[in-house]
Amino acid sequence: MTTTERPDLSWLDEVTMADLERNPYATYERLRAEAPLAYVPVLGSYVASTEEVCREIATSPDFEAVITPAGGRTFGHPAVIGVNGDVHADLRTMIEPALQPAEVDRWVDDLVRPIARRYLEQFESDGQAELVAQFCEPVSVRSLGDLLGLHDVESDKLREWFAKLNRSFTNAAMTSGGEFANPEGFVEGDEAKAEIRSIVDPLIDKWIEHPDDSAISHWLHDGMPPGQTREREYIYPTIYVYLLGAMQEPGHGMASTLVGLFGRPEQLEEVVDDPTLIPRAVAEGVRWTSPIWSATARISTKPVTVAGVDLPEGTPVMMSYGSANHDTGRYEAPTTYDLHRPPLPHLAFGAGNHACAGIYFANHTMRIALEELFEAIPNLERDTRAGVEFWGWGFRGPTSLHVTWEV
């Protein structure tokens, strides 16, 4: 540590994973004020909490990506979010072509809009719904599942997989000895991966011999010499990344956007009346409650000083982008959802060369789904008889969202 006087951070010894999963904002608000870069014992890691420090580390040549211990235990190696150099370049070359804006524009409307309409048809005459389970998550997982080539996997099964992988990935509590505090917390993630492999392995066998336009088929073949494919063990960790992060991000992003708009009825009315405002509403929604809240990390490649803290080479730092997006040094009244907030850049999708590759796809999935929702049910209201609970520290969103409307 630097010799500069540091605040007393002994209160961090009392922070638990339950505190962070239920409501990380109080802890991180205090961290931003007292120690923008601090060691958090329950996580066994340094944590970056302000916009400035997160962006500095994410873009610094003195840091490279590293996967969190729980993330590594969940995904295995090489997962695209935790590798560097040639392996990272190859994995990004593998996944990015289908996610380039010009390519996404070619097919995203034909992919997402029929899916959104299909789910709306199931409840639009009911006068009530629970939108997380009946619309937001199903549209999100079905859209990505079809893109990956998992057409025959039911949406509820895809939702089950990402929920199990989520709980495994965020099983981050560590003992003082550097061991996982709850090793049993990885069991259901392991069960999900075994089931995924039992379904995807035969598809990979097929795609090796008979390539098609599905994303995983392209991952196997693109950029490889004729007659060769990437090994399945090489791509599986990134498949798991997609089945967790990419599956939940649009669903939770649109659900959080709706909660924010319901809290500002006049702004909801504006968006319903003028759908061209939906991209702006979504941008504010994912800033207000970032779907990927604190799921990525970096590691120092040499001794470096950040925010007055001396970090030896090889020091991991967890990037708390959800906290950075509530930084009062960057945003006015950041805890308030505001459609008309000046459009400052946010960190909901990360920064640097490990920023989310699917930003464009995710934003358009959310846009199209909300266009269809507001077109079908323009008089949507939150059912105030039921509360809205947000959950999650690594990945965050509403657990449910009950709504009503007059049919």
Side-chain angles (χ1 to χ4, degrees):
M1 298 289 289
T2 181
T3 56
T4 304
E5 184 177 348
R6 302 285 292 168
D8 178 9
L9 299 178
S10 58
W11 58 274
L12 286 170
D13 294 336
E14 306 303 317
V15 173
T16 67
M17 283 307 304
D19 296 331
L20 298 180
E21 297 281 20
R22 186 170 51 251
N23 179 15
Y25 290 106
T27 297
Y28 282 83
E29 180 180 5
R30 190 167 175 186
L31 281 174
R32 290 194 304 271
E34 297 181 14
L37 182 64
Y39 186 83
V40 178
V42 71
L43 299 174
S45 175
Y46 280 89
V47 166
S49 57
T50 64
E51 197 271 349
E52 179 181 6
V53 174
C54 282
R55 193 176 293 278
E56 177 183 349
I57 292 174
T59 59
S60 171
D62 300 331
F63 288 85
E64 61 183 16
V66 67
I67 199 163
T68 64
R73 172 64 177 78
T74 300
F75 292 152
H77 179 79
V80 65
I81 63 172
V83 291
N84 304 279
D86 291 343
V87 174
H88 180 246
D90 179 61
L91 290 173
R92 294 290 287 220
T93 300
M94 177 183 87
I95 65 178
E96 284 184 344
L99 299 173
Q100 293 302 305
E103 180 67 11
V104 172
D105 286 341
R106 183 176 65 84
W107 47 257
V108 70
D109 201 87
D110 291 338
L111 172 68
V112 179
R113 203 170 295 279
I115 291 170
R117 288 175 178 161
R118 189 163 71 244
Y119 283 107
L120 282 166
E121 287 169 359
Q122 296 177 12
F123 63 79
E124 63 182 332
S125 299
D126 295 347
Q128 62 181 9
E130 196 284 276
L131 288 181
V132 172
Q134 291 181 255
F135 185 71
C136 298
E137 287 186 356
V139 171
S140 181
V141 302
R142 185 73 273 145
S143 298
L144 184 67
D146 287 359
L147 177 64
L148 291 174
L150 306 179
H151 306 277
D152 295 332
V153 182
E154 294 290 334
S155 298
D156 284 346
K157 178 58 67 176
L158 293 171
R159 293 177 62 222
E160 177 189 320
W161 285 348
F162 91 59
K164 288 182 173 180
L165 291 171
N166 179 12
R167 289 191 289 270
S168 178
F169 186 96
T170 58
N171 181 35
M174 305 294 287
T175 69
S176 58
E179 303 293 329
F180 290 117
N182 178 31
E184 295 80 12
F186 298 108
V187 171
E188 62 177 347
D190 292 340
E191 292 171 348
K193 287 183 291 183
E195 186 173 23
I196 290 164
R197 293 203 58 142
S198 72
I199 291 171
V200 176
D201 267 342
L203 294 173
I204 289 177
D205 292 338
K206 179 189 73 171
W207 288 323
I208 288 172
E209 298 298 328
H210 305 287
D212 62 21
D213 203 33
S214 65
I216 297 176
S217 179
H218 279 288
W219 295 1
L220 288 164
H221 292 275
D222 287 2
M224 298 298 291
Q228 296 184 32
T229 61
R230 291 180 177 87
E231 295 291 332
R232 67 187 69 205
E233 299 303 327
Y234 179 77
I235 69 171
Y236 259 118
T238 296
I239 292 175
Y240 301 144
V241 170
Y242 266 60
L243 291 175
L244 170 51
M247 283 283 182
Q248 67 83 31
E249 191 170 34
H252 290 172
M254 70 176 90
S256 294
T257 298
L258 286 165
V259 175
L261 286 170
F262 285 135
R264 305 293 297 270
E266 75 289 353
Q267 295 186 4
L268 173 62
E269 185 176 353
E270 287 181 66
V271 173
V272 172
D273 290 344
D274 182 3
T276 65
L277 291 173
I278 289 175
R280 187 165 184 170
V282 166
E284 172 64 354
V286 298
R287 181 213 61 83
W288 181 59
T289 303
S290 302
I292 299 179
W293 210 93
S294 186
T296 61
R298 300 290 186 271
I299 190 167
S300 56
T301 58
K302 66 178 187 179
V304 62
T305 301
V306 179
V309 179
D310 295 332
L311 300 177
E313 179 181 351
T315 302
V317 179
M318 290 186 178
M319 310 294 286
S320 300
Y321 291 136
S323 173
N325 286 333
H326 275 215
D327 189 342
T328 55
R330 180 66 166 168
Y331 306 99
E332 183 177 349
T335 61
T336 300
Y337 179 94
D338 185 2
L339 174 69
H340 301 299
R341 183 181 303 281
L344 294 171
H346 59 69
L347 288 172
F349 296 99
N353 65 352
H354 278 78
C356 176
I359 296 172
Y360 196 80
F361 171 68
N363 278 327
H364 282 280
T365 299
M366 292 185 278
R367 171 187 63 80
I368 293 167
L370 292 178
E371 285 175 356
E372 291 298 319
L373 177 64
F374 293 144
E375 173 69 21
I377 313 173
N379 55 338
L380 198 65
E381 297 180 354
R382 187 172 80 79
D383 186 347
T384 55
R385 294 171 298 178
V388 176
E389 179 185 12
F390 285 79
W391 185 88
W393 159 82
F395 304 91
R396 190 165 183 81
T399 57
S400 62
L401 177 55
H402 293 270
V403 295
T404 61
W405 60 95
E406 204 170 303
V407 178

